[in-house]
Amino acid sequence: MNTQVITIDPQRVDTEKIAKAAEILNKGGLVAFPTETVYGLGANALSPDAAAGIFEAKKRALDDPLIVHIADQKDLDKLVDDVPKIAGIMMEKFWPGPLTVILKKKDIVPDIVTTGLDTVAVRMPDCPIAKELIRLAGFPIAAPSANLFGRPSPTLAEHVLDDLNGAIDAVLDGGKTSIGIESTVVTFTEGKVVVLRPGGTDIDEIRAVIGKEVDICTHGAIIDSSPGKYPSHYSPKAQVVLAENNTSQKENVIEKTEAYVSAGKKVGILSKKEHADSFTDFAVRILGPENDLRSCAAELFHSLRAFDKDGVDIIIAEAVKEEGIGLAIMNRLKKAAG
Ligand code: TXA
Ligand code: MG
């Protein structure tokens, strides 16, 4: 059966249409919906059967836990215990928004959602459609990104359908997601904030709010379940090759491209806006200007998926500055490059 598409004007939150989606969730179904980061694949977070459907539809590994989405701060108390003071400060400042916090779970959260961990990931999205969906459902919504496991996250309903048409009940099409990269995932240990996945909430802003250093968990993930565990995440079908961010980056891109072209490969260049004029002999997609990393983040997954549609074998991606949201962009590009 085809997935039902429910089109919503993002400027006007149509409660009647969103109620249809909430009803599907109420019956234990699966609905993809926009958030400000990427599209999520939602199910009733308090129903083990409904949540199991997410893993099946995405072909997701059964040891990769889900994020639980809430619409109201008071819903948090039902889900978690022992909220550290610093976690409270972070939620106050960054919710609703692209921040996911890992906290000690209560029994009401099914084991399948947390894949047996005693912690649960919680996020309060800022997107009006997502908030209304959670409110109308009347329960928290478990939702990973709405892509097939390992593929780039969807920033359009079309991407969701490319991966999951027929495998899920409905998608709420609310247009392009504004941030375009997933939430920042943080955990708290010994009064410290540890970033498990850089994302839409800028780490510099977190530093400014808590007034101390923030640990960034790089590869050898501090816990088994953290988002660093699956290196093949965010991968388009094409092979991604990174061109380092240095003074000879442009020359380096051309060299690499010519080498792959002579080897008979179809190559696409994911270029900074500032460099695009140098690559006019080749197939180019522009990520965005390097001095506006927010707009680069918004284009990243869309560009990777667009290259797949172009049928390229190799994507030569220009590395960007690893600061602010650039940390999240480079995290995804490095993982896509494997
Ligand atoms: O922006 C986002 O975060 C999107 C939207 C839909 O909210 N969601 C998203 O979900 O990106 P997902 O499942 O693709 O990524 C969530 C990551 C997973 O890699 C998982 O390992 C980590 O969060 N995670 C979930 N629960 C965890 C836990 N209890 N401890 C550590 N990491 C956890
Ligand atoms: Mg994901």
Side-chain angles (χ1 to χ4, degrees):
M1 211 183 68
N2 266 358
T3 296
Q4 185 188 351
V5 179
I6 305 171
T7 307
I8 303 269
D9 177 353
Q11 307 306 325
R12 197 180 73 83
V13 177
D14 185 335
T15 295
E16 233 165 87
K17 285 187 176 175
I18 299 174
K20 275 203 257 174
E23 199 184 313
I24 296 171
L25 292 174
N26 251 300
K27 291 183 180 144
L30 299 177
V31 177
F33 61 98
T35 77
E36 70 279 22
T37 57
V38 300
Y39 275 75
L41 175 57
N44 181 350
L46 304 182
S47 157
D49 286 345
I54 292 176
F55 288 90
E56 206 178 298
K58 278 193 62 138
K59 302 192 169 70
R60 185 180 177 97
L62 285 168
D63 59 354
D64 193 2
L66 308 177
I67 296 177
V68 175
H69 297 70
I70 59 175
D72 198 300
Q73 188 76 30
K74 69 177 191 303
D75 298 336
L76 186 73
D77 304 334
K78 297 178 197 147
L79 301 174
V80 304
D81 259 332
D82 305 334
V83 178
K85 188 165 166 242
I86 198 164
I89 295 169
M90 297 264 297
M91 290 184 279
E92 167 106 9
K93 170 73 190 170
F94 296 108
W95 277 5
L99 176 77
T100 297
V101 296
I102 310 290
L103 295 165
K104 193 108 171 43
K105 87 172 188 80
K106 282 187 176 162
D107 289 343
I108 191 175
V109 183
D111 283 336
I112 187 162
V113 169
T114 64
T115 63
L117 295 171
D118 60 358
T119 54
V120 59
V122 188
R123 173 159 113 79
M124 189 193 293
D126 190 29
C127 168
I129 298 172
K131 285 197 281 200
E132 185 67 355
L133 180 65
I134 301 165
R135 194 184 70 79
L136 291 171
F139 43 73
I141 297 180
S145 50
N147 50 279
L148 277 175
F149 194 54
R151 299 264 302 142
S153 293
T155 54
L156 290 171
E158 180 193 323
H159 300 155
V160 176
L161 292 170
D162 286 343
D163 281 15
L164 299 173
N165 194 6
I168 63 175
D169 297 296
V171 57
L172 274 174
D173 182 352
K176 192 178 173 196
T177 62
S178 58
I179 294 176
I181 208 158
E182 306 88 340
S183 62
T184 301
V185 180
V186 298
T187 188
F188 307 94
T189 37
E190 294 156 13
K192 278 177 44 174
V193 175
V194 181
V195 174
L196 298 178
R197 176 179 73 182
T201 297
D202 190 326
I203 291 167
D204 293 334
E205 282 180 44
I206 298 178
R207 270 195 199 103
V209 166
I210 62 165
K212 29 180 166 176
E213 258 322 287
V214 173
D215 283 353
I216 300 174
C217 179
T218 50
H219 249 62
I222 56 157
I223 41 171
D224 231 20
S225 60
S226 79
K229 193 170 159 191
Y230 295 99
S232 71
H233 258 151
Y234 318 112
S235 299
K237 291 172 189 129
Q239 183 192 337
V240 176
V241 175
L242 265 176
E244 255 183 80
N245 191 8
N246 55 30
T247 48
S248 49
Q249 190 174 27
K250 277 195 281 192
E251 293 71 25
N252 192 234
V253 167
I254 292 169
E255 227 169 79
K256 282 188 157 81
T257 304
E258 282 172 343
Y260 280 111
V261 169
S262 351
K265 301 286 186 194
K266 187 167 176 190
V267 182
I269 299 172
L270 185 56
S271 163
K272 296 173 183 171
K273 188 159 193 291
E274 294 87 343
H275 290 176
D277 284 349
S278 309
F279 306 141
T280 47
D281 290 348
F282 309 105
V284 183
R285 285 184 179 277
I286 296 174
L287 184 63
E290 192 167 27
N291 63 15
D292 181 4
L293 291 171
R294 285 259 158 210
S295 61
C296 293
E299 285 310 310
L300 178 64
F301 291 138
H302 183 254
S303 306
L304 295 178
R305 281 179 177 264
F307 274 130
D308 275 345
K309 287 194 178 164
D310 299 341
V312 309
D313 306 304
I314 310 278
I315 300 168
I316 311 280
E318 288 201 290
V320 298
K321 286 185 286 198
E322 289 192 70
E323 58 185 52
I325 197 93
L327 277 171
I329 297 173
M330 287 305 296
N331 170 277
R332 306 305 187 273
L333 277 177
K334 282 178 189 170
K335 283 200 179 138

